[in-house]
Amino acid sequence: MTRKPEPLTEQAVDAFETELIQAFRRAVRTRDLRPVIELADSLVASGATVRSRGGLLGLFWFQTSMLDKFRVDRGSASSYGMLGLQLVNEGWCTDADMENGISEYLFHLGLRRGSLPDTLYDLMLENGRRRKNFLRAIHAANITRVENEN
């Protein structure tokens, strides 16, 4: 009889997530997705997330790209873009997984801040358009769109 794995503690999940971000950062440089996939599979198998592997990859791909947006050179955006294409082209996740990851990350960012700059708000809407009740959730969370000031 196979036993269900014990649920991970919150600290263990945080450590996994930090490790997944670091694995994505290495993958941007090396194009080796194996460590990223193995970590995502471990997190899903542990039951610590309700997301699929593809959903987890889409979310953390975008989260890591946003975290690194201001930390590394401008070329990082295209490096993350290429990594996202690689994830989809190799079948690790779907376009929908990537869209959901983008909209989910931006939704939580907007929830924390109460608003998003217009570019990010529009990106959240565009990528969340196929998700059931997503617009209602944005309005219920009272996330507002703020015009960028240039």
Side-chain angles (χ1 to χ4, degrees), residues 49-61:
T49 181
V50 296
R51 293 178 187 88
S52 65
R53 174 179 57 198
L56 195 63
L57 292 171
L59 174 63
F60 277 87
W61 162 78

Side-chain angles (χ1 to χ4, degrees), residues 6-27:
E6 291 292 318
L8 294 176
T9 64
E10 189 174 325
Q11 289 173 326
V13 171
D14 288 345
F16 250 124
E17 291 176 350
T18 299
E19 197 172 343
L20 189 54
I21 289 169
Q22 293 305 319
F24 264 113
R25 286 178 171 152
R26 283 189 301 276

Side-chain angles (χ1 to χ4, degrees), residues 67-122:
L67 289 171
D68 287 351
K69 180 178 179 183
F70 301 106
R71 292 176 11 127
V72 283
D73 63 272
R74 296 275 184 214
S76 69
S78 62
S79 296
Y80 277 102
M82 294 304 294
L83 190 65
L85 288 173
Q86 184 180 348
L87 284 164
V88 172
N89 289 340
E90 292 181 7
W92 299 113
C93 54
T94 64
D95 288 335
D97 291 328
M98 300 303 264
E99 289 174 358
N100 290 340
I102 292 167
S103 63
E104 184 177 344
Y105 176 80
L106 292 174
F107 177 82
H108 288 290
L109 182 64
L111 193 59
R112 281 194 310 273
R113 294 181 177 179
S115 66
L116 288 172
D118 56 4
T119 307
L120 294 180
Y121 189 92
D122 294 346

